[in-house]
Amino acid sequence: MSTLRSEEMILNVGPQHPSTHGVFRLVVTIDGEEIVDADPVVGYLHRGTEKLAENLQYTQIIPYTDRLDYLASMINNYALVHAVEYALDLEIPERAEHLRIIVMELNRIASHLLFVGAYLLDLGAMSPFLYVFQERERIVQLFTEICGARLTYNYMRIGGVKWDAPPGWLQKVREFIPFMREKIRMYDDLISGNEIFLNRVKGTGVFTQEEAINHSLSGINLRSTGFNWDLRKNQPYGIYDRFDFDVVLGQKGDCFDRYWLHMLEMEQSLRIVEQAVEAIGDGLILGKVPKLIRVPAGEYYAGIEGARGELGVYIVSDGKDKPYRLKLRRPSFVNLQILRKLLIGQSMSNLIAILGAVDIVLGEVDG
Amino acid sequence: MLNWQSSPLTGIGFLGMVIGGVLILGLILGIVTYLIYFERKIIGWMQLRIGPNRVGPFGLMQSIADVLKLLIKEDIVPENADRSLFLLAPIIAFVPSFMVLALIPFTATHVFTSNTQVGLLLYLALSSITILGIVLGGWASNNKYSLLGGMRSAAQMVSYEIPLGMSVIGVVLLTGSLNLNTIVVAQSRHIWYIIPQIVGFIIFMIAGLAELNRTPFDLPEAESELVAGYFTEYSGFRFAFFMLTEYVYVFALCALATTLFLGGWSGPFLPSWIWFAIKTSACIFFIFWVRATMPRIRGDQLMGFAWKVLIPVALANLIVTAGVALL
């Protein structure tokens, strides 16, 4: 009897596909339902931010960073201004530092919330995606009040922040904290115990600590393997060393751990916001900064803990008011590199669960 | 009421049949149209949205507008598709879905539906023809997504037909008849079969959800994985056929669940058709509710669940029921 002839099939997922979270293309070779090869094709959203930055003054680059990881623009803003401040060795007023921490951690919560919603949507549950927008809306409203924008905030400035908190704003943040705590519990009740959800995410997309480090993963992807690495703790920047919070770790490095860490990190971010709101005092929001910012000639790198991992800005300056070269270490792009390894050998029905848990934002992948 | 099954075929009798058939078709189409509206509204409310509210008062004309839009769209046949099969597939899927409705006893007097002795068997037999339409549609489209969707559907529906069939045998054993109307009459005399056959009912609903390709078993149409599954290449009118098939089956399966387990049209005070409508709506609501709540199950787990859990439980239920019926 001759053996049944089978052949491999090439399936093109994306760039316009409901589950790729943007314009991401994945060329998958499948043998039946098993994935033999997966080739991510990126660049559909490439805008050349790094090149554009070479012709812009440092302050002018800030709005461009908004468009990288558009779910956590505040953190992107900070990454750039922090790098420049580090290069200039600037003194930042206390109030500005606190405001920065508050908006960044709120933004981290908003970003993680959207991950939870979108991930469940990937797995076929529609409702959580629509629920999370309610809480995210509260955060977005807070941001609108403080900087006038909903998505692209352009809030940070070199040496401080652009706007002071309007009257009553801090009180609203205070009220938001217990509200959000309760909502996190609600999501936990709704999602974390669902049998179907657990069956799909537990034990899928596993990578070891060693693999994670070899692939230079950072953020939740790295912490899900149990590796204790959070730049807010390990290389404290800003005033993070003043706050009391835990770095939450996973154990197995599977999709469930990554989902679970997003939930836990939201609680930790709330803790930071809570302390920052209490500790904030009056004062200036913008320090003494020269009118025209010239970074002394040299090379500078400053990395911060973004919503998706280590977000680094590398500046090469020749002493002018524009960078000679600006390199952004975009965590989504780096984290994406492990995808191929994770997908090979998996069943086709795990593809979306694995891709979703790596948590990429295409604006950041493509730069 | 005209009793056309026992009387010889005459011109007037035939005319009555045709008019009756057309009437019930129109009725079902109306029900299905509003079923879609109902689903969108319910899921909308569960997801803190408003749902359709633009077309007509409370958006009541939304589904009608959608159907009209689909009807006037261009009928596209992909260049590389197997043309004849591609055109035929939606019809093969669609026709049985309407045929099964002829078997459901909507009221005590059984208006315009056939009162056949093997109603239940016929329902299961007819509903499995639809799978052929789906597989053909997936194959004939000559598209990878469609093919995968069609294959998944076939595997899933064939697997789940077995527990579905087994779960209703308990009812047949208790009644001693395959006639759906006799089953309802037997329930109205004693007790709704949902109580002695609670296990059967649960298996029936789970297998039914899988048979309907609905959440959490909606793999064949997994939007996020395969765009739209077997009907990816279909547009306009033919897409509407697949869509209608799905919703007609939602209605038909809920009507069958009502008939088999919830006492059908029987109930005190109210006219029988109102009882039937209430019970069927409750079942349909349940299906929509599940859709707003559950994530999707994975392919291999889906099969494992059917073969390792549902079928053994259904078998055990069958043996216990047979033992009880024997005593």
Side-chain angles (χ1 to χ4, degrees):
Chain A
M1 210 178 90
S2 64
T3 48
L4 195 66
R5 193 180 69 97
S6 69
E7 56 184 60
E8 289 172 357
M9 185 160 94
I10 292 174
L11 195 66
N12 186 36
V13 180
Q16 266 112 28
H17 186 277
S19 257
T20 54
H21 299 241
V23 278
F24 172 63
R25 182 168 155 225
L26 195 63
V27 182
V28 196
T29 313
I30 51 174
D31 182 7
E33 286 258 315
E34 194 193 318
I35 298 170
V36 185
D37 194 10
D39 188 15
V41 183
V42 298
Y44 290 90
L45 201 62
H46 182 64
R47 291 144 303 179
T49 311
E50 289 171 7
K51 185 69 192 168
L52 285 169
E54 290 171 17
N55 296 312
L56 295 167
Q57 292 174 356
Y58 287 100
T59 331
Q60 292 174 324
I61 305 170
I62 300 169
Y64 284 82
T65 62
D66 281 334
R67 275 94 182 153
L68 290 170
D69 177 356
Y70 39 76
L71 299 180
S73 302
M74 288 289 188
I75 301 177
N76 294 349
N77 280 182
Y78 184 75
L80 179 79
V81 298
H82 176 62
V84 179
E85 283 158 7
Y86 165 77
L88 292 172
D89 205 12
L90 274 180
E91 195 74 35
I92 318 297
E94 281 286 299
R95 187 172 170 85
E97 286 278 31
H98 281 89
L99 280 173
R100 282 176 172 189
I101 299 279
I102 294 170
V103 292
M104 275 200 293
E105 292 307 318
L106 284 176
N107 209 174
R108 195 185 305 273
I109 295 168
S111 167
H112 283 6
L113 259 179
L114 218 58
F115 164 82
V116 172
Y119 191 45
L120 266 288
L121 186 70
D122 288 349
L123 298 178
M126 263 163 78
S127 304
F129 187 64
L130 293 143
Y131 286 3
V132 295
F133 272 95
Q134 275 205 314
E135 287 80 54
R136 185 174 176 275
E137 184 62 26
R138 288 272 298 246
I139 298 175
V140 169
Q141 294 283 345
L142 287 171
F143 286 165
T144 317
E145 278 181 46
I146 203 167
C147 67
R150 290 174 60 87
L151 194 70
T152 49
Y153 308 115
N154 189 17
Y155 178 59
M156 311 268 179
R157 290 293 180 275
I158 293 156
V161 292
K162 175 68 184 164
W163 310 100
D164 200 352
W169 190 81
L170 290 169
Q171 184 54 33
K172 282 182 189 164
V173 176
R174 262 182 220 116
E175 283 160 14
F176 173 77
I177 295 163
F179 165 81
M180 190 61 215
R181 285 220 167 98
E182 197 183 307
K183 290 292 176 182
I184 293 174
R185 263 195 294 281
M186 182 190 91
Y187 287 119
D188 193 25
D189 287 346
L190 282 177
I191 301 165
S192 307
N194 187 305
E195 275 301 318
I196 298 176
F197 173 68
L198 292 180
N199 268 326
R200 290 203 59 177
V201 295
K202 279 216 163 161
T204 46
V206 185
F207 48 77
T208 62
Q209 215 170 82
E210 205 188 337
E211 281 168 345
I213 292 166
N214 287 346
H215 279 84
S216 186
L217 299 190
S218 53
I220 283 179
N221 283 300
L222 176 60
R223 289 194 288 273
S224 72
T225 61
F227 192 84
N228 192 341
W229 185 257
D230 186 325
L231 291 178
R232 289 175 294 178
K233 278 268 191 226
N234 297 72
Q235 297 172 4
Y237 53 90
I239 52 166
Y240 271 110
D241 48 352
R242 293 189 205 167
F243 300 112
D244 177 30
F245 68 99
D246 301 322
V247 178
V248 281
L249 298 175
Q251 288 166 343
K252 302 200 184 79
D254 59 359
C255 291
F256 177 77
D257 275 1
R258 295 199 269 286
Y259 153 78
W260 187 231
L261 289 189
H262 278 92
M263 298 288 272
L264 295 178
E265 281 204 357
M266 281 197 269
E267 302 219 24
Q268 297 304 325
S269 291
L270 279 177
R271 275 177 71 187
I272 300 175
V273 175
E274 199 171 29
Q275 292 166 46
V277 172
E278 291 316 314
I280 192 168
D282 292 331
L284 291 171
I285 54 156
L286 201 57
K288 282 209 181 344
V289 185
K291 264 271 183 286
L292 192 62
I293 293 155
R294 281 199 178 85
V295 172
E299 298 182 12
Y300 310 90
Y301 177 82
I304 64 161
E305 186 68 30
R308 281 163 188 80
E310 180 177 347
L311 178 57
V313 177
Y314 181 65
I315 299 172
V316 181
S317 174
D318 51 3
K320 298 214 179 79
D321 57 343
K322 293 166 186 166
Y324 175 75
R325 174 82 170 87
L326 185 85
K327 160 81 183 143
L328 297 158
R329 186 204 189 270
R330 309 182 306 274
S332 286
F333 177 75
V334 180
N335 291 350
L336 184 65
Q337 308 310 320
I338 202 172
L339 185 69
R340 182 167 181 270
K341 189 181 175 63
L342 290 182
L343 286 178
I344 290 175
Q346 293 281 346
S347 144
M348 189 61 196
S349 46
N350 276 339
L351 183 139
I352 299 297
I354 293 171
L355 172 64
V358 174
D359 189 17
I360 51 166
V361 167
L362 264 298
E364 197 176 55
V365 171
D366 292 343
Chain B
M1 196 41 61
L2 191 68
N3 187 1
W4 58 46
Q5 278 178 338
S6 47
S7 56
L9 187 66
T10 60
I12 293 168
F14 184 72
L15 195 68
M17 267 192 215
V18 170
I19 291 171
V22 170
L23 269 179
I24 203 141
L25 259 173
L27 184 72
I28 299 299
L29 272 178
I31 289 174
V32 167
T33 311
Y34 280 93
L35 212 59
I36 297 172
Y37 170 77
F38 189 50
E39 170 172 35
R40 294 178 62 181
K41 271 288 185 197
I42 286 177
I43 293 184
W45 288 330
M46 285 182 179
Q47 294 173 342
L48 314 165
R49 297 182 285 121
I50 296 165
N53 72 337
R54 290 285 128 183
V55 191
F58 309 107
L60 278 169
M61 308 300 279
Q62 181 68 50
S63 296
I64 295 167
D66 287 345
V67 171
L68 275 179
K69 181 204 75 179
L70 286 175
L71 288 184
I72 57 173
K73 270 196 160 183
E74 188 189 349
D75 182 21
I76 301 167
V77 180
E79 205 167 301
N80 291 328
D82 187 330
R83 194 179 165 84
S84 50
L85 283 183
F86 187 82
L87 300 183
L88 197 63
I91 298 166
I92 296 178
F94 180 68
V95 171
S97 72
F98 267 83
M99 280 165 81
V100 295
L101 287 167
L103 305 163
I104 306 285
F106 293 111
T107 67
T109 45
H110 225 193
V111 205
F112 295 135
T113 51
S114 76
N115 188 14
T116 146
Q117 291 305 319
V118 289
L120 186 53
L121 188 66
L122 207 52
Y123 181 102
L124 295 176
L126 283 173
S127 72
S128 49
I129 296 177
T130 297
I131 304 174
L132 184 66
I134 287 171
V135 175
L136 280 183
W139 173 256
S141 304
N142 205 358
N143 172 313
K144 291 159 189 170
Y145 296 102
S146 306
L147 183 63
L148 274 180
M151 275 184 348
R152 281 180 174 199
S153 287
Q156 173 177 341
M157 289 167 109
V158 169
S159 295
Y160 276 86
E161 239 166 40
I162 300 161
L164 189 77
M166 279 189 191
S167 65
V168 297
I169 297 177
V171 172
V172 177
L173 280 172
L174 290 178
T175 321
S177 169
L178 283 164
N179 183 328
L180 290 171
N181 215 15
T182 314
I183 291 173
V184 176
V185 173
Q187 289 183 78
S188 65
R189 289 213 194 97
H190 305 293
I191 190 170
W192 290 3
Y193 285 147
I194 186 171
I195 294 163
Q197 282 294 311
I198 180 71
V199 180
F201 178 70
I202 293 169
I203 296 170
F204 182 85
M205 285 314 279
I206 295 175
L209 279 175
E211 190 72 9
L212 293 170
N213 291 335
R214 290 196 68 91
T215 316
F217 307 103
D218 57 344
L219 277 101
E221 300 162 23
E223 277 176 71
S224 44
E225 283 156 36
L226 294 171
V227 187
Y230 56 86
F231 52 70
T232 306
E233 287 291 349
Y234 282 91
S235 60
F237 188 56
R238 285 169 210 284
F239 170 76
F241 264 32
F242 275 125
M243 187 89 175
L244 274 181
T245 310
E246 191 186 318
Y247 281 91
V248 173
Y249 268 122
V250 169
F251 176 70
L253 199 98
C254 288
L256 188 68
T258 307
T259 308
L260 292 178
F261 294 101
L262 300 175
W265 42 258
S266 65
F269 311 121
L270 295 171
S272 57
W273 64 272
I274 292 190
W275 273 114
F276 187 85
I278 292 172
K279 292 169 185 173
T280 309
S281 308
C283 277
I284 292 171
F285 176 78
F286 172 76
I287 289 183
F288 293 164
W289 185 11
V290 169
R291 175 158 178 217
T293 316
M294 293 283 180
R296 183 181 304 118
I297 199 165
R298 208 171 68 206
D300 49 332
Q301 293 166 346
L302 178 97
M303 293 299 161
F305 185 65
W307 294 96
K308 289 180 195 157
V309 181
L310 279 187
I311 292 178
V313 174
L315 266 176
N317 179 49
L318 195 60
I319 291 164
V320 173
T321 313
V324 173
L326 206 64
L327 299 172

